[in-house]
Amino acid sequence: CRKYDIKPALYYCLWDDHNEPGSSKDEYFQLTKGHITELVTNYKGLVEIWIDIPSRLTSDQRIELYNIVKTHQPHCLVTCNNGFTDGSVLSNFPADITNGERTLPPLPAHNPTRIINGMKYYIPMEVCQTINQNWFWLRGDVTKSVRTLYYWYSESVKRGANFLLDVPPDLSGRIPQNLVDRLMELKVVIDDPEKLDPLQSLTGYI
């Protein structure tokens, strides 16, 4: 990331089929705390940690994880997956960003100002969408059209949200060439929307 001046963010999932079963809730949380602490102390300059399935934690535990991140990297943003929402419901707090999983902000735009427990917070939104039909790589998965991807990108930006596009590596750990090609096609249209093919369908819209 440093070599190519890419701002790094990390994804951390609280769903762990290997360690969670058979552990007490406290034991499992201690393991989670150890993981998060290792990430924020060993890898400096993170811009975001994206925590998935935060409903497995209590409110106090989410606060503790949030404070661990901020203690070691105050400028690192914390996202707790808000699930399939339009960003108007913030079900997992504290968080610096709310998100919509395959869900756009309500029109006309996302309102980032929130009053929580009598305090005013600025919480912008991120829209999460997949380049294929699934989050992880599957052989034969169908890639969304450029028109569909541009729709999600442009509507997210227009409605005041960041756009996160999931592009999964294959079993070799590489980004498949067909996905690289689709990303480059999308870049052409983002740079010049006039190049969007009006006859192309909105495939994989949902």
Side-chain angles (χ1 to χ4, degrees), residues 32-199:
T32 297
K33 283 173 56 179
H35 289 164
I36 295 294
T37 301
E38 178 182 343
L39 293 174
V40 296
T41 54
N42 285 6
Y43 304 95
K44 302 298 184 181
L46 298 175
V47 297
E48 181 181 359
I49 288 187
W50 210 99
I51 298 177
D52 205 358
I53 317 186
S55 57
R56 275 176 146 70
L57 301 180
T58 66
S59 176
D60 287 344
Q61 288 172 335
R62 288 197 299 271
I63 291 171
E64 191 168 352
L65 285 188
Y66 182 90
N67 288 337
I68 288 172
V69 175
K70 294 299 182 177
T71 296
H72 294 281
Q73 299 202 39
H75 300 295
C76 179
L77 300 174
V78 177
T79 306
C80 285
N81 190 2
N82 206 29
F84 299 87
T85 76
D86 60 9
S88 59
V89 176
L90 186 61
S91 57
N92 296 300
F93 189 78
D96 301 309
I97 304 171
T98 186
N99 70 290
E101 189 172 318
R102 294 176 170 174
T103 309
L104 290 166
L107 289 169
H110 172 66
N111 180 3
T113 301
R114 300 295 181 87
I115 305 297
I116 301 173
N117 297 326
M119 298 283 289
K120 182 183 287 188
Y121 294 90
Y122 174 76
I123 303 179
M125 183 178 174
E126 181 173 82
V127 172
C128 314
Q129 184 53 277
T130 58
I131 195 169
N132 291 329
Q133 306 306 305
N134 295 278
W135 291 104
F136 303 100
W137 183 84
L138 291 175
R139 192 179 306 279
D141 204 351
V142 177
T143 304
K144 293 181 173 69
S145 69
V146 174
R147 189 176 187 86
T148 295
L149 295 172
Y150 180 72
Y151 170 82
W152 279 93
Y153 163 81
S154 58
E155 285 297 310
S156 298
V157 173
K158 184 173 69 177
R159 302 186 195 190
N162 181 53
F163 182 62
L164 183 155
L165 183 61
D166 173 76
V167 182
D170 62 19
L171 298 180
S172 72
R174 295 176 174 86
I175 302 298
Q177 187 60 46
N178 69 303
L179 301 187
V180 173
D181 294 341
R182 185 53 45 87
L183 288 171
M184 297 309 295
E185 292 166 357
L186 177 61
K187 180 187 184 303
V188 169
V189 174
I190 289 174
D191 289 344
D192 184 3
E194 293 296 323
K195 294 183 178 178
L196 186 65
D197 184 355
L199 299 179

